[in-house]
Amino acid sequence: MQSFWESTQHQWKTPIRKQQEYDTKLNLYYTSLLFKLGKKMSLRQQVIASSLVYFKRFFSRNTFTEVDPLLVLVTCFYVACKMEECPQHIKACCNEAKAVIGSQFTYAASDVAEFEFYLLEELDFCTILFHPYKPYLKYCQFLQVNTAVLQTGWYIINDIYRTDACLLYPPYIIAIAALYLSVNINEKEIHNLPEIKEFFKTLNIDFVQVVEIIQMVFNLYAEWKDFSPEQIPAILSKIR
């Protein structure tokens, strides 16, 4: 998995955005819309995760001033549904997007269908993705963690997708970071804590990457406290 990830992901490992001053708030806004859209359509988390990776990959090469992120967002979601074998009718995606986003989403199904080809070209047609969820579950099963640890780590992985970690680190490292953070949060409820700590010590990985991911999560939560969707129109008016 690692070699495949390295061979297909290397071109995305340096996110480039010209609007860095407002990037975190815009990122929170658009990723939240994707989460809401996926939840409204009752789709698996992996569909949302894939759409988020496509969205971030696209805007590692483009800016929010060049293309309407809402069109990109819905197109990424539509493509992710097909790639994750949860196909949805393009009209259904557009209708649900209008319900979630509101009057700001003015595009028809034909617009999304047309933009799909441009999106795939920008992604270099690399649409097969690996996610941290499967290795995370395997680690949890191996360590026999309790439900609290398992669920907390799962939520942390979901939040990690709001950051650029999914472009910068392989899935198994993200899974380890989520598990490590979850164990520390729930350590008072863990009966086999010494064995789990020993597990982390024996891992043959670059733990600096784990720390970097955890720091990205902390930075995300810190920014989240002061974030409100009402801030977005003013930000968009400034960068455009």
Side-chain angles (χ1 to χ4, degrees), residues 63-164:
T63 69
F64 294 143
T65 61
E66 297 168 331
V67 188
D68 187 350
L70 296 178
L71 176 59
V72 180
L73 183 150
V74 175
T75 309
C76 288
F77 184 81
Y78 174 62
V79 172
C81 288
K82 293 195 287 186
M83 293 306 303
E84 296 298 339
E85 299 182 351
C86 296
Q88 302 291 318
H89 198 285
I90 191 169
K91 288 185 178 179
C93 290
C94 290
N95 290 337
E96 295 297 345
K98 290 177 182 178
V100 170
I101 300 170
S103 59
Q104 291 175 290
F105 187 76
T106 58
Y107 300 98
S110 57
D111 298 316
V112 174
E114 182 180 352
F115 190 76
E116 179 183 0
F117 295 100
Y118 180 65
L119 171 67
L120 293 173
E121 185 177 1
E122 284 292 290
L123 298 178
D124 293 335
F125 298 93
C126 295
T127 55
I128 298 176
L129 302 175
F130 289 102
H131 295 289
Y133 298 105
K134 185 176 290 187
Y136 176 75
L137 291 176
K138 288 184 177 180
Y139 295 144
C140 289
Q141 184 178 19
F142 175 75
L143 294 171
Q144 297 181 331
V145 302
N146 58 36
T147 303
V149 172
L150 182 112
Q151 289 183 343
T152 302
W154 187 276
Y155 296 147
I156 290 171
I157 292 176
N158 292 346
D159 290 340
I160 287 174
Y161 272 97
R162 299 176 188 269
T163 73
D164 285 334

Side-chain angles (χ1 to χ4, degrees), residues 27-53 55-56 73-74 77 96 100-101 133 154-163 166 220 224:
N27 175 66
L28 278 172
Y29 175 66
Y30 291 119
T31 55
S32 293
L33 289 179
L34 274 171
F35 274 101
K36 289 178 181 178
L37 182 57
K39 184 177 181 181
K40 193 170 194 318
M41 298 188 71
S42 302
L43 296 177
R44 292 184 292 113
Q45 187 61 42
Q46 194 153 311
V47 176
I48 301 172
S50 291
S51 62
L52 286 164
V53 173
F55 185 80
K56 288 177 175 294
L73 183 150
V74 175
F77 184 81
E96 295 297 345
V100 170
I101 300 170
Y133 298 105
W154 187 276
Y155 296 147
I156 290 171
I157 292 176
N158 292 346
D159 290 340
I160 287 174
Y161 272 97
R162 299 176 188 269
T163 73
C166 56
L220 172 73
W224 215 335

Side-chain angles (χ1 to χ4, degrees), residues 19-20 59 75 87 97 102 111 135 153 158 172 174 205 210-211 214 230:
Q19 64 284 349
Q20 292 178 353
F59 282 110
T75 309
D111 298 316
N158 292 346
Y172 76 97
I174 294 175
I205 63 172
V210 173
V211 174
I214 292 174
E230 285 70 29

